[in-house]
Amino acid sequence: MNNAIKTIAPIVLAVMGAALGAGAAHAAYPERPIKLIVPFPAGGTTDTVARFIAQGMGEKLGQSVIVDYKAGAATIIGADAVAQSAPDGYTLLLGTATTFTINPILYPKLSYDPLKSFTPIGVIGTTPLAIMATQAEPAKDLKSLIENLRKDPGKYSYGSHGNGTPVHFAAEMLWSAAKVKVTHVPYKGSAPALNDLMGGQIPISVEALPAAVAAAKGGRVKVLAVTSDKRSPLMPEAPTVAESGYPGFAMQTWFALVAPSGLGKAEQDKLANALSATLADPALKERLAGVGIEPGFEPAAGYVSRVEGDIAKLGPIARDNNIERN
């Protein structure tokens, strides 16, 4: 019996050693490149943000972070692909407010849940939106524009990127706060909406601030207010909507990094630390600011707060104004 024990003991120790070795290897995450899914086509702002973040996090993690595109269906295709991926830390999603708050409002049978389907890594930053008008519009600020809308409501319409987009929600949120009605003219993207605004075909438009700033430099359009809770460094002379007579008004698009639900705490923390360190880099901050992103890391709790807050705030706007996707 003693001989048998002596024979078995080395085997048991070997098995235990192998198990401990496997655990140590697992603790070395990440051991291979990480895939970062972008649910938009290449070449846009989200793609640019993803490339900046991928480079910075790759340096911090000691592994390549490879940007991959799964565009379509208002970001649903990419988001769903990540939601169904293994929660091992090797597939991430860089989504926006459209992905995490607007889609859940507009699609009752959405294939993913913004809170249950993902493990949040952190919020990356925000982009303010701008209320714009043609130079031919006599209003010099948002207050006088609202006065004009009340005097002659049938005269005015406004352009947006399309039905159910963040700029559409921001506009309807403002008109609701001001108790005015303005005819919505949805376009298929930013460029055609801006072209018609600059050409005078529409008197008002709502736009992401970077594009608004570029358009205003031409002198044919003007920015009356920004929708963020504080003035933007991109255009510090433009007052906020809150400053213009609507205290508490805030609506902006935002970017966040998430992983599939079920990601381990160790991997989540390692990714969050890498994202936080990346966003703290002054050079990266400058690069993000250059494309209109106001960087500001928020941990997992910040993501949850934004999702819950936006859905609570924007849900009634969608219902009261019959906002839906085309």
Side-chain angles (χ1 to χ4, degrees):
M1 186 69 176
N2 288 339
N3 289 336
I5 292 173
K6 289 178 181 179
T7 302
I8 294 171
I11 299 173
V12 172
L13 290 172
V15 171
M16 290 176 64
L20 290 171
H26 179 71
Y29 170 84
E31 298 178 291
R32 63 179 190 270
I34 295 169
K35 183 164 60 176
L36 176 57
I37 300 296
V38 175
F40 292 92
T45 300
T46 308
D47 174 28
T48 302
V49 173
R51 290 184 178 280
F52 290 164
I53 295 301
Q55 180 181 348
M57 289 188 67
E59 292 169 357
K60 304 294 185 296
L61 294 167
Q63 283 287 352
S64 298
V65 178
I66 301 167
V67 178
D68 190 17
Y69 305 95
K70 291 188 183 296
T75 77
I76 294 173
I77 292 175
D80 191 48
V82 174
Q84 295 184 34
S85 296
D88 55 9
Y90 292 100
T91 304
L92 307 176
L93 171 72
L94 198 157
T96 67
T98 293
T99 313
F100 303 123
T101 60
I102 290 180
N103 284 346
I105 291 171
L106 299 182
Y107 297 100
K109 297 181 179 179
L110 192 63
S111 55
Y112 63 87
D113 182 284
L115 297 178
K116 296 178 182 178
S117 300
F118 302 111
T119 299
I121 305 304
V123 174
I124 293 167
T126 61
T127 297
L129 307 175
I131 312 299
M132 307 178 66
T134 64
Q135 288 292 358
E137 164 55 40
K140 301 300 181 185
D141 53 32
L142 182 59
K143 183 178 179 180
S144 55
L145 174 66
I146 297 298
E147 290 173 354
N148 292 343
L149 291 172
R150 288 181 178 141
K151 290 175 185 175
D152 195 357
K155 172 184 174 182
Y156 288 90
S157 60
Y158 78 94
S160 81
H161 300 178
N163 285 318
T165 56
V167 294
H168 183 196
F169 270 90
E172 294 300 338
M173 187 174 163
L174 174 58
W175 310 144
S176 294
K179 295 180 172 56
V180 295
K181 289 290 184 182
V182 189
T183 302
H184 178 218
V185 181
Y187 289 82
K188 292 184 178 180
S190 170
L194 274 177
N195 286 339
D196 272 11
L197 181 70
M198 291 187 288
Q201 282 76 34
I202 50 174
I204 310 167
S205 189
V206 183
E207 180 58 74
L209 188 58
V213 170
K217 288 179 180 178
R220 289 187 287 174
V221 298
K222 53 193 173 186
V223 174
L224 302 180
V226 295
T227 65
S228 46
D229 54 0
K230 59 185 178 180
R231 295 196 182 200
S232 170
L234 276 181
M235 186 175 269
E237 68 275 19
T240 66
V241 172
E243 288 179 285
S244 304
Y246 302 93
F249 185 101
M251 168 65 186
Q252 52 199 342
T253 191
W254 48 275
F255 302 81
L257 188 68
V258 301
S261 176
L263 180 69
K265 187 67 166 56
E267 289 82 1
Q268 181 186 18
D269 288 345
K270 193 160 191 177
L271 289 166
N273 290 337
L275 177 60
S276 177
T278 295
L279 291 171
D281 180 4
L284 181 68
K285 286 184 177 181
E286 186 174 347
R287 293 168 76 187
L288 287 172
V291 295
I293 309 300
E294 296 181 9
F297 174 77
E298 296 174 21
Y303 169 84
V304 172
S305 177
R306 283 185 179 274
V307 169
E308 292 178 341
D310 277 8
I311 289 176
K313 178 170 61 178
L314 300 180
I317 297 296
R319 184 186 63 244
D320 295 345
N321 295 281
N322 298 313
I323 296 178
E324 57 185 25
R325 292 285 189 188
N326 287 333

